[in-house]
Amino acid sequence: MRLLWTVRCFGRLTARHFSPVARPGGEELSRLLLDDLPPTQRLELLFGLSPCLLALRAARRRVARLLLQAGKAGLQGERAELLRVAEARGIPVLRPRRQKLDALCGHQVHQGVCMEVSPLRPRLCDEAAEASPGNDPQQLWLVLEGLQDPRNLGAVLRSAHFLGVDRVITSRRNSCPLTPVVSKASAGAVEVMDVFATSDLASFLKAKAQQGWLVVGTVGCPGPEIPQSSKVPITSCLEFVWDRPTLLVLGNEGSGLSQEVFASCQLLLTILPRRHLPPGLESLNVSVATGILLHSIFSQKKSFPVQMEKGQFLQDT
């Protein structure tokens, strides 16, 4: 029960009880505190509903505060779950003003949810380098050299996680770190998947080739970026036969694969266009190309989902 103050005669205040109207999320909304958000040092601001919720569930980051914007309708669904998980872990939850939240995250699309968190860093590549193919010939690792656009990297990681890539390896040199923008572009996939990094990608590829892995590079339409002296065969992704553990290597958005990494490749895959293209349109965005290449390869996997009876969803066999 709550109190409603009314003015009676002679200007005296009196109180009477009334029953509040139930509102979805109203109880959670009342627990949020308005705050001017003094800055917290050495932390990142993760933004977006999916990245924040997946980061809380995965519990791989240290979370200082959850900043949760709520309207008059209160908190419902995943926002209410965010509040419950944060309170269960003793994480302070604040309700900032919209303008403050916009300014804090640089006017990114935050969906009314931000978290102050410790940075997410790639794992050392030693563990990945020592892993042997085992008995499964259809393993696929995605290797990224010098991706610099955080939105490209996030989109690539989202496709890799969705389609079933076993591991992701990045180069430490000239590569984008795992920033909050990467997490948002990946729809939070980076919060739940392992990303490894190596400072010597060419040596890593050579070592994996000696273990029996097939190192497959990627190129646009065969053109001047491929050295004339190169003897590395090029094949369409539609003709590639996936019969051994494979490392699929994608290069920088502008320059592609470096010469050192190119020399480590045993095969080159390309996506052939369906029409004559004018100069400047001979290649695809790296995240788009990644999705096409991965889907083409994983279509050969023996446990690839097959369509069941009409009206049912696809499910793994």
Side-chain angles (χ1 to χ4, degrees):
M1 301 292 288
R2 298 174 61 186
L3 295 177
L4 174 66
W5 292 91
T6 59
V7 180
R8 297 280 177 106
C9 56
F10 307 110
R12 295 165 60 185
L13 292 174
T14 60
R16 62 186 178 88
H17 293 281
F18 79 99
S19 299
V21 178
R23 183 173 75 234
E27 180 183 352
E28 290 85 355
L29 182 62
S30 66
R31 300 205 300 269
L32 300 185
L33 302 176
L34 287 171
D35 189 86
D36 287 333
L37 302 179
T40 303
Q41 300 298 324
R42 295 186 298 276
L43 292 179
E44 295 182 338
L45 192 68
L46 193 65
F47 58 92
L49 182 57
S50 291
C52 291
L53 184 57
L54 290 173
L56 272 182
R57 290 172 178 169
R60 300 198 300 179
R61 296 181 187 256
R62 182 173 64 86
V63 181
R65 296 185 296 189
L66 170 63
L67 316 178
L68 198 55
Q69 186 183 354
K72 295 181 180 180
L75 298 174
Q76 304 177 39
E78 292 180 328
R79 286 175 172 78
E81 181 184 350
L82 270 170
L83 179 60
R84 290 193 293 270
V85 174
E87 289 181 334
R89 291 174 51 184
I91 298 170
V93 183
L94 306 177
R95 183 186 176 191
R97 295 171 177 83
R98 174 62 183 266
Q99 295 83 353
K100 185 70 173 180
L101 205 57
D102 290 344
L104 278 173
C105 68
H107 298 276
Q108 303 277 1
V109 181
H110 52 70
Q111 301 173 288
V113 180
C114 295
M115 286 198 315
E116 291 176 337
V117 296
S118 60
L120 189 63
R121 307 194 187 282
R123 298 175 57 180
L124 294 177
C125 205
D126 296 341
E127 177 185 342
E130 295 173 357
S132 60
N135 296 324
D136 183 7
Q138 289 190 319
Q139 293 187 56
L140 184 65
W141 292 11
L142 183 63
V143 180
L144 308 173
E145 184 193 19
L147 263 66
Q148 297 179 342
D149 188 311
R151 289 179 175 82
N152 276 341
L153 178 57
V156 166
L157 294 177
R158 181 177 186 178
S159 295
H161 189 65
F162 181 87
L163 291 170
V165 167
D166 296 293
R167 287 193 182 177
V168 176
I169 314 293
T170 66
S171 60
R172 289 192 181 277
R173 184 175 58 185
N174 299 327
S175 291
C176 174
L178 302 179
T179 65
V181 176
V182 172
S183 185
K184 183 66 166 65
S186 75
V190 71
E191 304 296 331
V192 297
M193 63 189 297
D194 288 327
V195 178
F196 296 83
T198 176
S199 56
D200 190 349
L201 189 55
S203 296
F204 169 80
L205 295 176
K206 291 177 182 177
K208 299 305 291 182
Q210 292 175 358
Q211 294 177 3
W213 292 75
L214 177 65
V215 181
V216 178
T218 53
V219 293
C221 297
E225 75 276 6
I226 302 175
Q228 297 295 325
S229 60
S230 173
K231 297 182 180 180
V232 182
I234 304 176
T235 185
S236 165
C237 63
L238 299 177
E239 299 175 355
F240 173 69
V241 178
W242 185 25
D243 56 2
R244 57 189 286 196
T246 300
L247 301 172
L248 181 66
V249 189
L250 288 98
N252 175 268
E253 292 95 336
S255 57
L257 301 175
S258 66
Q259 292 183 1
E260 296 82 4
V261 169
F262 185 90
S264 303
C265 296
Q266 302 159 289
L267 178 67
L268 296 175
L269 285 189
T270 188
I271 302 171
L272 296 178
R274 297 298 183 181
R275 59 162 48 120
H276 177 73
L277 298 174
L281 294 179
E282 301 93 342
S283 63
L284 293 167
N285 172 275
V286 65
S287 63
V288 175
T290 300
I292 295 174
L293 291 167
L294 290 179
H295 189 271
S296 176
I297 295 173
F298 277 110
S299 295
Q300 304 178 45
K301 199 171 182 64
K302 295 178 180 179
S303 60
F304 191 78
V306 295
Q307 189 170 10
M308 305 302 288
E309 295 181 5
K310 186 176 180 180
Q312 290 185 343
F313 288 106
L314 297 181
Q315 65 183 28
D316 198 310
T317 56

